[in-house]
Amino acid sequence: MEHLPVEVIGNILSRLKAARDVVIASATCKKWREAWRNHLHTLSFNSNDWSVYHDLTTSRLEILITQTIFQTTSLQCLSILMDEVDEFSAAPVIAWLMYTRDTLRQLHYNVRTTPIVNIIEKCSRQKLEVLALAYNSVTGVEPSYEKFPCLKSLSLSYVSISAWDLSLLLTACPKLQNLALINPDIAMSDAQTTMELNSPSLKDIYVEAVSLDKFILEADSIENLHLKDCTLELFELIGKGSLRVLQIDDVSVLHLDIGDNTENLQIVDVSSFTIMWPKFYNMISKSSNLKRLRLWGVVFDDEDGVVDLETVSSCFPQLSHLSLSYDLKDVCGLQGSSHLENVVVLELGWTIISELFSDWVAGFLERCPNLKKLVIYGVVSEAKSHEECRVLASFTSSIVRLMRKYLHVEVQFDYE
């Protein structure tokens, strides 16, 4: 070990991440202490890593973090994640940020401060590439002054910010590629009913627990759009057809528009969602390169909302992974004779078991001649009635008989 270059030792210590482990390891010898001072680039203070953090007073914890950080000279990644700390004093937090700002590339911070520290202002105009904030407030963004020329990833969790400041913040990040908004407290002005975000460089956006009237996203390079647990009157994506992944999970939206250019869509994953099938079909029908389609717990809010295999087969010839749940209206029509030649993974499930489910499964197996894997998902109540037990037993017997015809197919069961 004594022959290792000090830079390599610095990399070893950085892989430990947790501050307690790094401090203990750096006490090995003088060379390791030198690596700690001059070549450590990753340091994490996480309340889940060491139970003693919970026993320290806030002032003692501030001193401990200050002493540890100030012994380093080249930190690139700093994480301070203290879930049970009420508030840090502003002075030490500002000292940490000012001390590391010249070398810092990543900052993960989730502790409130009193008085409030403008972390956006303290970290701007530097080489920061990743910024993840939680339980903080962002106010008065000045994009002409508070610029992030290198920032590629921004995550705001439980952050209080106005729609206008959020828009300005994206303007200050010309290279931003990944954006996550998790349960933010977004303030709208009296004259504002629509939140409009514009980022020509954005490729991936994750939005969770957002409630707004209108949300318009203009992103010419967007590839991945994921909406979860959101309530929106309108969501509109304005882009140039670069979208590859669309995920919608437990979202309430009256009007959804992802644009007409969906030729590049490869994955559509929709669950716990209500929409009119003609509108949804029109959005994705041009996605001839679609490889994965998942419609799980989807309710099509119209009388003609029938997902039929003829439509799926003709519109998505490259489809290789298909997932459907039995509570789809009319249980996905099996009319016609089209086959899903490229489907190799099939996932089928139910919310309420039915006598017809095994027939539905059999129909899909006939239409997927090159299938390699079948996964059956089901919900089984703890207090099963006699009828539920009878239907489940009948289904199990039917599947056993059915799979004797398809010995080349791997079968898995996943019951909740």
Side-chain angles (χ1 to χ4, degrees):
M1 294 290 287
E2 66 271 14
H3 300 298
L4 284 176
V6 69
E7 295 84 359
V8 173
I9 299 174
N11 287 332
I12 294 173
L13 292 174
S14 297
R15 289 182 178 275
L16 295 176
K17 295 183 180 179
R20 174 179 177 271
D21 296 336
V22 174
V23 171
I24 292 174
S26 65
T28 302
C29 63
K30 181 178 179 181
K31 192 173 186 179
W32 282 62
R33 288 192 293 274
E34 179 187 351
W36 151 264
R37 289 192 301 271
N38 300 321
H39 299 284
L40 182 74
H41 53 73
T42 302
L43 192 59
S44 173
F45 299 88
N46 192 321
S47 55
N48 294 324
D49 291 340
W50 191 26
S51 60
V52 174
Y53 285 136
H54 301 288
D55 302 328
L56 298 176
T57 64
T58 301
S59 59
R60 184 70 187 95
L61 188 54
E62 291 170 351
I63 293 172
L64 178 65
I65 295 175
T66 302
Q67 291 176 335
T68 307
I69 291 177
F70 278 28
Q71 291 183 61
T72 69
T73 59
S74 56
L75 277 185
Q76 296 181 17
C77 179
L78 175 62
S79 297
I80 302 177
L81 308 174
M82 296 290 170
D83 291 330
E84 297 186 7
V85 174
D86 292 331
E87 290 180 335
F88 277 151
S89 301
V93 174
I94 293 175
W96 304 336
L97 296 177
M98 298 304 292
Y99 182 79
T100 60
R101 61 183 297 175
D102 290 339
T103 59
L104 209 59
R105 300 292 185 273
Q106 297 186 29
L107 174 63
H108 304 261
Y109 185 83
N110 79 336
V111 186
R112 298 178 180 89
T113 61
T114 179
I116 295 174
V117 174
N118 189 343
I119 293 180
I120 296 295
E121 190 274 332
K122 299 300 179 185
C123 296
S124 63
R125 305 182 311 281
Q126 301 299 318
K127 299 177 181 180
L128 204 65
E129 297 178 1
V130 175
L131 175 60
L133 288 181
Y135 303 103
N136 280 262
S137 297
V138 177
T139 58
V141 176
E142 296 288 346
S144 59
Y145 173 72
E146 296 168 352
K147 295 183 178 181
F148 292 84
C150 302
L151 196 68
K152 296 179 180 179
S153 179
L154 174 64
S155 175
L156 302 177
S157 302
Y158 300 90
V159 167
S160 176
I161 188 171
S162 71
W164 178 245
D165 280 335
L166 180 56
S167 177
L168 292 178
L169 182 56
L170 295 194
T171 302
C173 306
K175 294 184 179 180
L176 189 67
Q177 296 183 8
N178 300 288
L179 173 64
L181 301 174
I182 302 172
N183 204 358
D185 180 11
I186 299 177
M188 308 286 285
S189 64
D190 294 337
Q192 192 177 19
T193 61
T194 303
M195 184 173 76
E196 299 185 41
L197 301 181
N198 188 326
S199 176
S201 60
L202 191 64
K203 292 185 177 181
D204 188 311
I205 182 169
Y206 175 79
V207 181
E208 179 180 345
V210 168
S211 180
L212 293 170
D213 288 340
K214 298 179 181 179
F215 186 170
I216 298 177
L217 173 64
E218 186 172 351
D220 290 339
S221 303
I222 192 75
E223 295 181 0
N224 192 336
L225 169 62
H226 190 173
L227 303 178
K228 181 177 181 180
D229 298 334
C230 294
T231 301
L232 306 166
E233 181 179 317
L234 175 146
F235 180 87
E236 182 179 358
L237 172 64
I238 301 173
K240 293 184 177 180
S242 58
L243 190 64
R244 296 179 182 274
V245 179
L246 172 64
Q247 292 178 271
I248 302 174
D249 183 6
D250 197 9
V251 172
S252 173
V253 58
L254 295 180
H255 181 72
L256 176 68
D257 186 358
I258 60 171
D260 297 327
N261 300 323
T262 59
E263 291 86 355
N264 291 312
L265 262 179
Q266 295 183 4
I267 298 176
V268 172
D269 187 333
V270 182
S271 60
S272 303
F273 188 56
T274 300
I275 193 171
M276 295 184 69
W277 170 244
K279 290 184 178 180
F280 186 75
Y281 169 70
N282 287 335
M283 281 195 301
I284 66 172
S285 60
K286 296 179 181 179
S287 309
S288 57
N289 293 316
L290 196 70
K291 292 180 173 57
R292 296 171 64 101
L293 174 62
R294 182 175 183 266
L295 302 176
W296 210 266
V298 177
V299 177
F300 293 114
D301 194 18
D302 58 301
E303 294 182 357
D304 299 323
V306 178
V307 185
D308 63 276
L309 285 194
E310 292 291 318
T311 299
V312 173
S313 176
S314 60
C315 291
F316 315 124
Q318 303 300 319
L319 197 66
S320 62
H321 193 136
L322 177 62
S323 304
L324 296 172
S325 62
Y326 191 68
D327 50 358
L328 282 173
K329 185 175 180 180
D330 286 351
V331 205
C332 185
L334 294 170
Q335 300 85 2
S337 58
S338 296
H339 286 67
L340 301 172
E341 299 287 346
N342 292 312
V343 171
V344 294
V345 178
L346 181 63
E347 296 180 325
L348 302 174
W350 73 79
T351 301
I352 300 176
I353 188 67
S354 165
E355 296 275 8
L356 299 176
F357 184 70
S358 57
D359 295 334
W360 194 56
V361 175
F364 274 98
L365 288 172
E366 291 178 1
R367 304 299 182 86
C368 302
N370 297 308
L371 191 67
K372 295 181 179 179
K373 183 176 182 179
L374 171 65
V375 184
I376 302 293
Y377 292 91
V379 177
V380 182
S381 62
E382 292 185 6
K384 295 184 288 296
S385 66
H386 175 75
E387 179 62 18
E388 285 179 314
C389 292
R390 186 193 66 79
V391 173
L392 184 59
S394 175
F395 163 72
T396 304
S397 299
S398 298
I399 288 295
V400 170
R401 290 193 299 268
L402 179 63
M403 296 317 298
R404 288 171 182 164
K405 296 171 54 179
Y406 300 94
L407 296 177
H408 62 285
V409 177
E410 177 189 352
V411 183
Q412 292 183 4
F413 297 89
D414 191 337
Y415 292 162
E416 295 182 9

